[in-house]
Amino acid sequence: MNEGLMAETYIARSTAIAARVLGGEMMIMSAADSTFFTLNEVATVIWQAADGRTPLSEIVERRICEEFEISPDVAQHDAEEFVNELSQHGILLVSDQPILDSKAGTR
Amino acid sequence: MTTPSTLESAGLHEVAVEIGGMPIVLRTGDAEFRALLEKRYAGFVRRPGAAAFALDVDVVRPDRQICEEEDLEVWNDDGLWRLERGDFQAEWDPRVGQGRLAQGVSPYAIDSVLRIVHSLIQAQAGGFLLHGASAIRNGKAFLFSGVSGAGKTTISSLIPNDGVLLTDEISYVRRDGEAYRACGTPFAGELARLGENASAPIARLFFLAKGGENRIEPLETPDALRMLLRNILFFADDPELVKMVFRSACDFLARVPAFRLTFFPDARVWELIQ
């Protein structure tokens, strides 16, 4: 578990990706290494909320725990794993400060 | 096929090879290579005219290694595509649709360069080239994709007499408004038979697997997308190209249904393909 992530983490969608909802599922491909991901419902909510300004803890609390009835500890742990994995492929940008110039929001 | 022209009297020869409705004029000063092109791409040669694309081919004699690097390398150099392999060196400028190629006398180099250039052209146009066989039957085109050994050659060899083989190796997919067309290619596989220079709207995409019985199963979209991306000809780790190919694959699967086709290698499999 990463203490930094636990404290305050901001996430933003990278512009170096291609993403599309197809057949009701969010599919993402890294333009950097062509890695391909299919996101489940929870991961899709995190992805869509990754605006660079909303802390991950707030996304988890307001979107994940409430909408999916998942306990805060489990939701936070799963969210951090998801964020770590996608950030390793350059799909999500991660910072301990708001990411204001991320160009987030591109498809 | 061609008549002597001012160009030829100046020692230049032009052969227009039209694949997927995209003619590329190949210019060479080598008469023997011109003859090789006309023979190899027989059904795809058109009278040179006002083609949008052109490639100047410098045939290096005696035949020798052109580049030190044996493996294919393709990269974008400030808007210019550079293509290199042991037997050729080329550049392609997509902004003007022109390029240059230096190669030996072997036809394999020009074959590879044409595949790459067409892939780049189609990436911008919403189409793609696919590792797969394709055929027309009853006015509809069917694609059969899969890795080596999955059955592309087998399914191609079993096409009924009323079917038209477009290719047993590399399928050419063109965007046509809100639909897609499969076009014949001269890129032959193990059948060593050129495809017909014909095209038709694509009705179905099948991913092949050999088995003990004939069975068709619909594929979930994520699985189909993953398999499709794995089989699209893709030469460069270029971010913009990755995005274009991804979008093309998604658009294609939103319009063309994809299935897994498990088949026993005899002619009855074609009874299922409609």
Side-chain angles (χ1 to χ4, degrees), chain B residues 119-157:
Chain B
S119 290
L120 295 172
I121 292 171
Q122 283 305 322
Q124 290 189 307
F128 50 84
L129 273 65
L130 180 72
H131 285 290
S134 45
I136 301 174
R137 201 166 180 222
N138 300 323
K140 294 185 283 192
F142 302 94
L143 302 183
F144 305 93
S145 187
V147 294
S148 192
K152 299 190 291 284
T153 306
T154 307
I155 198 100
S156 300
S157 67

Side-chain angles (χ1 to χ4, degrees), chain B residues 17-24 53 92 112-124 127-129 172 187 235:
Chain B
V17 179
E18 183 178 293
I19 305 168
M22 301 276 179
I24 297 180
F53 307 105
W92 177 255
S112 297
V113 171
L114 284 177
R115 292 180 196 198
I116 296 166
V117 167
H118 276 283
S119 290
L120 295 172
I121 292 171
Q122 283 305 322
Q124 290 189 307
F128 50 84
L129 273 65
Y172 198 113
F187 307 126
F235 300 98

Side-chain angles (χ1 to χ4, degrees), chain B residues 135-142 159-160 162-164 270-271 273-274:
Chain B
I136 301 174
R137 201 166 180 222
N138 300 323
K140 294 185 283 192
F142 302 94
I159 294 175
D162 61 353
V164 174
W270 275 91
E271 294 169 10
I273 298 164
Q274 298 177 30

Side-chain angles (χ1 to χ4, degrees), chain A residues 37-64:
Chain A
F37 291 89
T38 307
L39 304 191
N40 64 23
E41 213 176 342
V42 175
T44 300
V45 168
I46 297 173
W47 168 259
Q48 289 173 331
D51 59 4
R53 296 174 180 81
T54 312
L56 179 60
S57 57
E58 189 177 320
I59 295 171
V60 169
E61 183 185 335
R62 296 196 176 174
R63 303 293 308 277
I64 307 302

